[in-house]
Amino acid sequence: MSRIHLFSGGLELANLVVSSGVLYHSWAAVRDLYSEINQNEQQSLSVRYKVSQQPNSTTIAFFTWPACSKDYIIQGGGGEDLVSSSTLKESFPLFEFLCTKTNPQFSINKAALELFASIRDSLPSLKSQIDSKPVIITGNSLGGSVASLFTLWLLEKINLSSTKTRPLCITFGSPLVGDDGLQEATSKYPTWNSCFLHVVSDQDPIPRVLISPHNPIDSIYKPFGTFLLHSELGCACFEDSQSILDLLTATYLEGPENQNPNQVLEFYEALVQHLNHKVICKDTTQLVKRNTKSFEAGIITQLEAIGLVRPQQQQRNNGIDNLITRTERQEKKLVILKRQVFDPSKKLNDIKINMAYLEWYKKHFKDKGIGYYDSYKNSGNLSDLNVVRYKKILTCYWEEMVDEAEKKPQKEGASFRTRWLFAGTNYRRMCEPLDIAEYYNKGLKDYINQGRPKHYKQLEQWLKEIEKPASNPSQLKKQNVASSLTEDSCFWAHVEEARISCELLSSRESSIGEKESSKHNLVEFENYVLSLMKNYAVSPEIFLPRSSFMLWWKEYEEIIRKGIMGAAYYSPLTDLMKSRSYQNYATGGLEIP
Amino acid sequence: MASLKVGENKEINTDLIQKACSLAVKAHSKSSQKSYILEKTGGSSYVIFSFPGYWSENDWYDGEPFGETKINLDLFPSLRSIGIDEHAKVNKAFQQRFVDKISRNQDFIKEVEKAKNERKQIVFTGHSTGGSIAILATIWFLEKYWRSDASATSPLCLTFGCPLTGNHIFSHALRREKWAPYFIHFVMRYDIVPRILLAPISSIKQEFQPILQFLNPKSSRASTNTPPEALNFYMNVMKNASSVASHAACKLMGNTNLLLETMANFTALSPYKPFGTFVFCTGNRKLVILSNPDAVLQLLFYSSQLDNEAECPDVAQRSLQQHFSYGNELKDCFTKLDADHAVLLESLEKLPLSADSTTTSSDITTINAALKDLGLSTRARLCLCAAGELEKRKIGNKNSIDLKKADTAMKYLQEYQLSCKHQGLGCYDAFKIHKSDKDFEANVNRLELAGIWDEIIEMLKNYDLPDAFEGEKEWIDLGTKYRHLVEPLDIANYYRHLKNNDTEGYTKKGRPKRYRFTQRWLEHAQRLPAGSCGESCFWADVEELRIKTSSKEGYAPFKDEVLQLEEQAMKWINDGVLDKDVLMENSTFMVWWKKQPDPLASCINDIEGFTITSA
């Protein structure tokens, strides 16, 4: 295939945000709220909110005074300004769902969190005003942080499987909200990240407060979502979190020291108006070099729009060139990464082919009267060698799948799993017996507790979560039992344990304690097998003449004959085995009371 | 005699263009009773039909925010995507106008047929909304006459300042049928009319009436001054055009930021999309010609962008005035028509991103000058590049699947089919019993093929293949061959695992898209009704009937269905699309069929060469 030319669409995305009117609309909601407050009350550090209904959307706006925000944000400082999710777990567990196995912890800015906590009691009523219409959540300064937290909280509450219900959170001049843990949590799930758009003016200090000015990339706080940066020349969107830190610092035009912090409200008013007019005007980029590659050209136009590269500059200086290279590298990396998302469906057909091979293997040894479990265990065959390969491919695939599903947040993970669980269960039932065979071949014991791979446990656990309680087996299930797989993929581990018990019982060297527990185990095993047969949950292949199960029965029969299990020992299973009525099992004709 | 080069091998006589242009304008001024005018010049090789435009709000927007509706498939059966079976959309008012005034007009039909029989090239033309009628008339002609009569002369459609008429499926279908090159659209750089439908009616409601009043050549305009609403009108239309262009550009650039999806809930974007060849008139005697629909959409926005805000009132005026300057502009253009003045933009992915003209290559200099005349910034150039890149990628996708065409898996399955027959059992039944190594190998090959075909279907669903793909004979034939050979195995697999017990029958629930799609390809190519090529589902029909007739009710209630199946089987076998192995003695079909009451009376017995061995 020919090489793919990449493009950077940050300018186009920003242009869409403006020309669609979304930006104008959400700022108008903030402005509305602000003018209401302006007339009535003193400035104080509290968050105000307002819900407004439009014919096609619902808007929730949060407002705080920028002047009151700045110092409050960095209160404590030096790490004191962050609250960790483990602290929150007890007092305010609303964001617990963001934690995953691979990303167990994150921290949120204390000021933002306290403001959000102050409206905790209103959350249900706010949510109740969201109906089927799409919702825009917006806010300025710390109010924007509250909007972000509110949106995060909302993400767990709503069904995101349809894009129709996805909320859009637009903040104006908000400080960063959380650390790399929070960034990681949202970016792991691209749908979540797609709900956030942060608008930042080049004259607004507040969004930059939590970034260390000399080494922006190493800041504790990390941005998430998309950032729309603005200058008098235009605007552009950026998504890579490192680039954003870099560019937030580089674009800042410091105003006079003593200026009223509330003035930033006017900046945003002017910004929105300005962009609204500018959207049908041309950009003025003049690329210095010919033959610039498309991605670099895109980045240059973006940096120019946010005022970093000046078109009139004849000579670009080193600093700018470095910034272009750095931004290009970062944004490109993100684009490439996102294009290569794990897509299990692509491989699914290959996996089906491998399963087909295994199916054939199973059938082959059924015809030989031994069963694939025992054939694999004895491994005398060439085709067994091939099976090792198929099994390895399958195992790699499903380990990755399970891993991927675990990484996802609870709810999304669940829906991801249900789609693959059927195939996963099939795989487990087909392949795990082979793992068990390998395990006991090594002379090891107690597979279930000590040797079972994690992904089998998970696959079984997930099946249990969605399975309905078992009813009596239908006529159909009985008739088909010959072609179905044993439901409990650990069946053969139980058989192996039973054989070990038999050995202990017959051995002279075993202690009395060992013998007693072996007896107990064997009785339990009998009940286990009987209940499986009753439900037609075990494959009739276990009755093949050379199978381990039949070997066990021979050993056990001997033990019973010797009277070790007690004089005239009798049980439903032994009766079944002795009378050979298990032969009716394969055709569905065996009734067990 | 000068001609304009509009494509690789396509040139159009400039006299014809000028004549069409003046006729298109003339159509307006004729008495409003006439729904078209016909120009026949004795001795010339063509006739020209031109259509007048209409200028009330309802002639543009009827109902929906963008005035679109589903295409009338009775008149335009090809205007859909085949596999996905999505129908094209078209402007409702334009379609209605065409249905009312043209498609039922016996005079018009008579004249068209007469011209066709005289082997004349038929040119349909129109200015403004008249152009949209010309487009529909051309497609109607292509569907009704051209498709069935290969000897007919190809039609030509010339429009001048014509609004967008159909959506992306409309454009896709015309390219698939290879009809798009018959359409040439002339657009002045600032003419607002081709852009109007990029805006919803709600955004221009206030200004639209007076603007239409101005645009209507029939109305008695007090002066030639543009109305005061021009400024707002221009800005609102352009803002919406900007949304559409940016959204499309994000997609062209392979955007990975999902914010774009989230935004979709808050933005209503126009569904219209260009098709055919566009000739942009820069306004300084130059023509820029291109036919990539994605690139044209971008150009519609970028070419009439502002240099700066101060320019706005002036451009707004021009956006209306230029709608009337096609005749003069083209006349000027055609007086001097050379490579510098008519630039064909191809291989858009190689377009220079930099306006830097210090290059030695004269080609690049010419292209750069043309792009500059259209006022294209770096950003606009990037968008055109992305459009070219996408087209290239689609072709790349096709090349990569073309490589998989000569597949060994197909050969294996063909041999499998033969060897099964030698052993006295059709491959359906052999596969269903699944007893020998060969059955297993066949299963692996079946799965490998499924992988290839599923990939194709996935690409079609995302429109990741060239538009022409579903019309390519080679692939239609291969698809049919694949379907006949492998679908029975899929059906066998389905009933082997008794999947019908959990869900419904194969045809209803279990049939993979790779077979549904390939069947539709064939039906479309052969102009057959939907569902008429279901022979590859024969075994599923047998299995379903077998289940039905084995129930308590028995044969009686399903008698008609059984008879129908028998008749179809006979037809399919005689047509050679169903393998005769269905008639082998031990096939599922024959075993079941012999159990039915009175098999000897069935038409199956009439199949040539069929003898029933023992009843």
Side-chain angles (χ1 to χ4, degrees):
Chain A
M1 252 195 45
S2 58
R3 226 167 62 86
I4 295 173
H5 285 269
L6 292 177
F7 290 87
S8 175
L11 214 52
E12 298 305 325
L13 194 58
N15 197 62
L16 181 65
V17 171
V18 177
S19 60
S20 63
V22 170
L23 194 71
Y24 185 84
H25 172 88
S26 45
W27 176 253
V30 175
R31 189 210 298 131
D32 252 21
L33 186 55
Y34 154 51
S35 57
E36 263 175 35
I37 301 164
N38 212 0
Q39 289 148 17
N40 301 332
E41 63 186 89
Q42 277 241 300
Q43 294 183 13
S44 69
L45 187 95
S46 62
V47 60
R48 294 284 303 261
Y49 58 85
K50 187 184 173 184
V51 184
S52 49
Q53 303 283 350
Q54 291 83 30
N56 301 322
S57 62
T58 306
T59 311
I60 305 177
F62 296 90
F63 177 82
T64 55
W65 287 106
C68 303
S69 302
K70 194 175 169 187
D71 299 328
Y72 184 40
I73 298 166
I74 44 172
Q75 64 174 352
E80 297 279 302
D81 52 330
L82 276 166
V83 185
S84 130
S85 58
S86 50
T87 322
L88 281 175
K89 208 169 182 170
E90 276 133 43
S91 58
F92 199 53
L94 300 189
F95 299 110
E96 201 45 35
F97 73 99
L98 288 170
C99 297
T100 61
K101 211 163 182 176
T102 43
N103 185 35
Q105 241 199 37
F106 61 88
S107 298
I108 297 177
N109 175 261
K110 196 172 172 194
L113 200 66
E114 277 174 2
L115 276 183
F116 182 65
S118 75
I119 58 158
R120 185 179 186 173
D121 295 339
S122 324
L123 292 178
S125 108
L126 272 176
K127 186 179 177 288
S128 71
Q129 295 185 62
I130 298 170
D131 49 23
S132 55
K133 286 181 292 187
V135 57
I136 292 185
I137 299 149
T138 183
N140 75 308
S141 203
L142 265 176
S145 311
V146 175
S148 293
L149 291 175
F150 178 76
T151 309
L152 274 176
W153 171 77
L154 206 58
L155 288 176
E156 192 201 24
K157 303 275 174 286
I158 51 181
N159 175 15
L160 286 172
S161 55
S162 143
T163 49
K164 289 248 172 347
T165 53
R166 234 186 262 174
L168 177 59
C169 172
I170 301 187
T171 74
F172 296 89
S174 295
L176 301 183
V177 176
D179 66 351
D180 52 351
L182 187 64
Q183 194 260 333
E184 177 91 10
T186 52
S187 66
K188 262 280 165 300
Y189 197 53
T191 323
W192 288 4
N193 217 32
S194 79
C195 297
F196 298 90
L197 178 70
H198 307 287
V199 181
V200 175
S201 153
D202 56 1
Q203 299 174 69
D204 185 356
I206 291 174
R208 296 155 171 109
V209 161
L210 294 171
I211 304 172
S212 55
H214 304 297
N215 200 358
I217 290 173
D218 288 335
S219 301
I220 295 168
Y221 285 85
K222 300 279 184 228
F224 63 91
T226 302
F227 273 67
L228 187 144
L229 305 183
H230 172 265
S231 80
E232 55 166 0
L233 291 169
C235 65
C237 284
F238 295 88
E239 203 189 0
D240 175 74
S241 96
Q242 283 205 29
S243 296
I244 292 166
L245 286 171
D246 215 356
L247 296 172
L248 277 175
T249 314
T251 48
Y252 184 40
L253 302 173
E254 219 160 332
E257 194 55 23
N258 54 358
Q259 101 187 340
N260 177 6
N262 285 338
Q263 212 182 333
V264 299
L265 290 169
E266 287 161 36
F267 295 158
Y268 286 101
E269 178 68 28
L271 176 155
V272 170
Q273 299 293 353
H274 168 233
L275 288 179
N276 226 13
H277 283 108
K278 190 143 174 62
V279 71
I280 57 173
C281 289
K282 217 175 282 180
D283 63 306
T284 45
T285 329
Q286 318 240 300
L287 293 173
V288 177
K289 284 177 282 182
R290 272 194 304 120
N291 303 330
T292 313
K293 289 267 177 298
S294 55
F295 200 89
E296 191 191 351
I299 293 291
I300 293 175
T301 53
Q302 278 168 246
L303 293 186
E304 195 174 294
I306 61 170
L308 289 176
V309 183
R310 298 274 161 174
Q312 53 269 48
Q313 271 175 338
Q314 283 303 313
Q315 294 279 298
R316 287 206 306 246
N317 60 37
N318 263 343
I320 291 301
D321 276 344
N322 283 341
L323 189 65
I324 291 174
T325 317
R326 223 160 46 225
T327 313
E328 189 198 338
R329 193 182 56 222
Q330 285 299 124
E331 291 277 329
K332 201 180 215 167
K333 210 161 85 184
L334 186 69
V335 167
I336 291 170
L337 193 78
K338 280 192 164 189
R339 279 173 169 238
Q340 294 170 336
V341 279
F342 175 72
D343 183 6
S345 55
K346 285 245 158 69
K347 280 198 207 158
L348 196 65
N349 259 308
D350 297 345
I351 292 312
K352 278 187 188 164
I353 291 175
N354 282 293
M355 281 295 281
Y357 278 119
L358 280 187
E359 206 185 311
W360 183 250
Y361 176 75
K362 174 173 172 285
K363 187 175 161 32
H364 183 73
F365 286 101
K366 182 184 176 181
D367 296 344
K368 294 215 161 167
I370 178 165
Y372 80 115
Y373 172 76
D374 282 282
S375 160
Y376 189 81
K377 203 178 155 198
N378 304 337
S379 272
N381 241 297
L382 255 182
S383 56
D384 293 315
L385 288 174
N386 284 330
V387 163
V388 174
R389 202 177 77 234
Y390 309 139
K391 176 174 159 281
K392 195 170 170 190
I393 295 169
L394 286 164
T395 304
C396 285
Y397 176 80
W398 284 104
E399 274 174 354
E400 198 180 346
M401 279 293 260
V402 169
D403 236 34
E404 205 57 33
E406 274 192 315
K407 266 192 240 155
K408 287 189 186 282
Q410 273 273 295
K411 229 171 85 178
E412 286 64 32
S415 66
F416 175 78
R417 288 187 321 247
T418 34
R419 264 178 290 153
W420 307 109
L421 202 52
F422 180 73
T425 303
N426 243 341
Y427 152 76
R428 175 169 59 86
R429 289 174 178 164
M430 179 71 94
C431 264
E432 189 165 7
L434 305 183
D435 276 306
I436 295 172
E438 280 175 19
Y439 186 84
Y440 284 96
N441 261 354
K442 287 181 202 150
L444 298 167
K445 287 178 188 171
D446 199 11
Y447 169 84
I448 292 172
N449 296 313
Q450 292 179 33
R452 195 172 189 207
K454 188 194 81 179
H455 69 285
Y456 288 132
K457 287 187 203 164
Q458 276 299 355
L459 283 170
E460 187 174 349
Q461 180 58 32
W462 289 335
L463 184 69
K464 274 187 192 150
E465 280 165 24
I466 63 155
E467 225 175 22
K468 293 166 215 128
S471 55
N472 282 330
S474 68
Q475 207 49 42
L476 202 69
K477 188 176 175 187
K478 290 181 186 173
Q479 280 165 12
N480 282 338
V481 74
S483 59
S484 47
L485 290 159
T486 301
E487 281 173 22
D488 182 1
S489 54
C490 286
F491 174 80
W492 291 106
H494 290 286
V495 175
E496 294 294 346
E497 292 299 325
R499 287 189 70 189
I500 292 169
S501 295
C502 283
E503 202 182 312
L504 283 173
L505 265 186
S506 347
S507 161
R508 288 193 195 135
E509 283 149 37
S510 314
S511 67
I512 296 180
E514 275 174 339
K515 290 202 171 177
E516 278 313 301
S517 75
S518 295
K519 269 190 205 170
H520 175 77
N521 288 344
L522 282 163
V523 172
E524 267 198 359
F525 178 67
E526 275 189 53
N527 292 335
Y528 164 75
V529 175
L530 196 69
S531 76
L532 289 182
M533 288 176 66
K534 209 163 158 180
N535 287 319
Y536 278 81
V538 66
S539 160
E541 286 181 28
I542 65 167
F543 302 118
L544 291 171
R546 289 156 65 200
S547 89
S548 286
F549 179 76
M550 293 311 277
L551 294 178
W552 164 79
W553 169 242
K554 269 179 214 144
E555 289 155 14
Y556 192 45
E557 205 177 13
E558 183 66 21
I559 287 170
I560 294 170
R561 201 183 50 80
K562 286 182 187 158
I564 300 175
M565 294 300 287
Y569 179 81
Y570 169 86
S571 77
L573 185 73
T574 53
D575 187 38
L576 239 161
M577 297 303 293
K578 278 181 188 159
S579 66
R580 295 184 168 256
S581 48
Y582 62 80
Q583 284 168 339
N584 298 329
Y585 179 74
T587 50
L590 185 67
E591 288 292 342
I592 298 168
Chain B
M1 207 165 50
S3 63
L4 177 68
K5 193 172 184 227
V6 292
E8 191 74 345
N9 302 309
K10 200 166 169 74
E11 295 192 353
I12 299 172
N13 183 325
T14 51
D15 289 345
L16 172 61
I17 296 173
Q18 271 178 282
K19 192 178 268 174
C21 185
S22 75
L23 282 171
V25 176
K26 199 170 142 198
H28 299 317
S29 52
K30 275 267 179 163
S31 98
S32 55
Q33 304 297 316
K34 271 261 187 187
S35 50
Y36 69 95
I37 57 173
L38 169 63
E39 171 89 4
K40 290 188 277 193
T41 325
S44 74
S45 59
Y46 52 79
V47 298
I48 303 177
F49 290 89
S50 66
F51 305 90
Y54 300 90
W55 286 276
S56 85
E57 191 185 301
N58 286 337
D59 291 324
W60 288 72
Y61 294 93
D62 187 357
E64 297 293 307
F66 294 96
E68 81 278 17
T69 189
K70 252 196 191 162
I71 193 89
N72 180 338
L73 279 181
D74 294 333
L75 279 173
F76 309 110
S78 300
L79 294 190
R80 59 192 177 95
S81 60
I82 311 249
I84 309 163
D85 204 18
E86 197 177 347
H87 298 177
K89 285 189 171 170
V90 64
N91 182 290
K92 189 176 177 186
F94 302 164
Q95 175 167 267
Q96 198 54 47
R97 175 81 50 192
F98 173 76
V99 169
D100 292 345
K101 300 268 179 178
I102 306 296
S103 75
R104 294 182 191 146
N105 186 329
Q106 290 309 319
D107 287 342
F108 173 76
I109 295 173
K110 222 167 71 196
E111 294 288 357
V112 167
E113 288 183 353
K114 192 168 156 232
K116 185 193 95 117
N117 293 335
E118 288 170 7
R119 301 252 176 264
K120 294 207 170 171
Q121 178 173 46
I122 302 179
V123 181
F124 298 97
T125 185
H127 170 250
S128 202
T129 42
S132 297
I133 307 299
I135 289 170
L136 294 175
T138 313
I139 302 172
W140 166 86
F141 177 82
L142 287 161
E143 295 268 22
K144 194 167 176 187
Y145 301 107
W146 170 255
R147 193 192 260 290
S148 53
D149 183 1
S151 68
T153 317
S154 66
L156 183 64
C157 178
L158 300 171
T159 76
F160 304 89
C162 165
L164 294 175
T165 303
N167 73 341
H168 68 285
I169 306 282
F170 196 97
S171 175
H172 162 82
L174 288 172
R175 275 158 66 92
R176 180 193 63 231
E177 301 297 327
K178 303 196 170 62
W179 292 346
Y182 305 137
F183 297 82
I184 318 288
H185 310 286
F186 291 86
V187 173
M188 292 289 294
R189 177 176 172 190
Y190 288 112
D191 183 1
I192 198 80
V193 173
R195 286 124 175 148
I196 291 176
L197 284 173
L198 295 175
I201 181 65
S202 55
S203 71
I204 50 169
K205 189 113 187 136
Q206 277 187 345
E207 300 88 12
F208 202 35
Q209 265 315 323
I211 295 293
L212 284 172
Q213 186 76 19
F214 176 83
L215 290 175
N216 188 351
K218 287 178 197 158
S219 71
S220 49
R221 255 174 280 148
S223 67
T224 48
N225 287 342
T226 51
E229 289 85 358
L231 185 66
N232 274 337
F233 186 69
Y234 167 80
M235 295 223 299
N236 287 337
V237 169
M238 281 299 283
K239 205 171 278 177
N240 282 289
S242 168
S243 282
V244 174
S246 290
H247 184 265
C250 284
K251 297 234 153 151
L252 293 177
M253 292 179 171
N255 164 73
T256 50
N257 191 336
L258 292 183
L259 176 64
L260 187 69
E261 280 179 15
T262 311
M263 287 281 303
N265 293 332
F266 304 94
T267 47
L269 292 171
S270 168
Y272 294 98
K273 190 165 179 186
F275 68 90
T277 303
F278 273 72
V279 182
F280 281 85
C281 313
T282 60
N284 55 355
R285 295 182 166 198
K286 276 190 199 164
L287 301 173
V288 178
I289 302 155
L290 73 169
S291 49
N292 176 324
D294 292 311
V296 171
L297 187 66
Q298 296 297 322
L299 264 194
L300 282 176
F301 168 67
Y302 282 110
S303 64
S304 62
Q305 233 187 346
L306 297 174
D307 271 333
N308 51 61
E309 281 178 58
E311 206 190 37
C312 197
D314 180 43
V315 170
Q317 283 197 8
R318 264 193 274 169
S319 77
L320 294 179
Q321 285 158 352
Q322 284 199 348
H323 189 55
F324 299 103
S325 53
Y326 285 91
N328 291 336
E329 179 68 22
L330 289 173
K331 199 173 140 205
D332 284 352
C333 283
F334 293 156
T335 51
K336 193 183 178 202
L337 198 62
D338 56 28
D340 284 345
H341 288 80
V343 180
L344 205 56
L345 289 187
E346 282 164 329
S347 304
L348 292 163
E349 69 281 1
K350 292 180 195 138
L351 227 54
L353 291 175
S354 153
D356 179 8
S357 50
T358 58
T359 164
T360 46
S361 156
S362 67
D363 276 3
I364 301 265
T365 316
T366 312
I367 287 177
N368 251 334
L371 296 184
K372 211 172 147 208
D373 287 334
L374 279 180
L376 299 192
S377 61
T378 310
R379 198 181 127 200
R381 288 159 184 253
L382 274 167
C383 292
L384 293 189
C385 261
E389 195 63 47
L390 181 70
E391 191 68 35
K392 203 176 101 187
R393 201 167 70 227
K394 288 182 179 181
I395 294 169
N397 285 342
K398 181 172 178 297
N399 292 342
S400 77
I401 60 163
D402 274 345
L403 292 178
K404 297 179 187 166
K405 229 182 328 191
D407 198 83
T408 48
M410 283 288 276
K411 282 198 199 94
Y412 182 89
L413 290 179
Q414 275 162 341
E415 279 160 24
Y416 173 69
Q417 194 185 29
L418 280 178
S419 80
C420 287
K421 227 187 272 185
H422 288 317
Q423 284 163 21
L425 202 56
C427 67
Y428 175 81
D429 286 288
F431 194 81
K432 201 176 159 199
I433 296 164
H434 220 72
K435 211 168 178 176
S436 78
D437 281 8
K438 275 190 181 145
D439 305 322
F440 155 75
E441 282 286 343
N443 195 21
V444 171
N445 281 299
R446 173 185 74 89
L447 285 163
E448 266 168 20
L449 283 167
I452 296 170
W453 283 89
D454 284 351
E455 195 188 332
I456 295 174
I457 302 306
E458 201 53 38
M459 287 200 269
L460 280 174
K461 272 160 69 186
N462 298 325
Y463 292 94
D464 275 340
L465 287 170
D467 290 324
F469 185 80
E470 286 184 306
E472 283 196 10
K473 190 167 181 310
E474 227 180 326
W475 275 100
I476 296 170
D477 290 348
L478 188 65
T480 307
K481 200 168 132 195
Y482 167 66
R483 190 163 58 89
H484 284 161
L485 184 65
V486 190
E487 186 163 15
L489 305 187
D490 270 79
I491 298 170
N493 198 52
Y494 189 84
Y495 289 96
R496 174 165 79 102
H497 290 300
L498 297 148
K499 284 189 188 158
N500 57 324
N501 286 314
D502 313 334
T503 54
E504 279 178 80
Y506 172 84
T507 3
K508 269 194 194 136
K509 280 279 167 66
R511 192 173 188 209
K513 285 212 172 67
R514 51 183 186 269
Y515 300 123
R516 293 179 193 275
F517 275 47
T518 44
Q519 182 181 338
R520 282 192 206 120
W521 293 355
L522 182 70
E523 285 162 359
H524 177 74
Q526 303 194 344
R527 310 278 275 162
L528 294 167
S532 56
C533 295
E535 65 276 357
S536 55
C537 279
F538 172 77
W539 284 109
D541 297 342
V542 173
E543 292 286 358
E544 289 303 314
L545 267 180
R546 218 162 64 100
I547 292 164
K548 280 182 188 166
T549 52
S550 69
S551 65
K552 281 186 212 114
E553 293 103 346
Y555 172 77
F558 307 105
K559 193 178 167 197
D560 289 346
E561 283 181 60
V562 173
L563 286 177
Q564 202 193 343
L565 181 77
E566 288 173 349
E567 266 168 42
Q568 276 193 322
M570 180 171 90
K571 184 181 175 297
W572 285 334
I573 291 171
N574 287 337
D575 289 351
V577 290
L578 182 65
D579 199 282
K580 274 195 181 164
D581 64 9
V582 304
L583 299 177
M584 292 178 115
E585 201 180 339
N586 295 323
S587 84
T588 305
F589 174 62
M590 288 310 286
V591 170
W592 164 77
W593 180 69
K594 280 183 222 156
K595 275 194 229 148
Q596 301 313 306
D598 208 8
L600 283 171
S602 154
C603 59
I604 295 285
N605 293 296
D606 301 337
I607 295 172
E608 202 186 325
F610 173 71
T611 45
I612 194 158
T613 41
S614 59

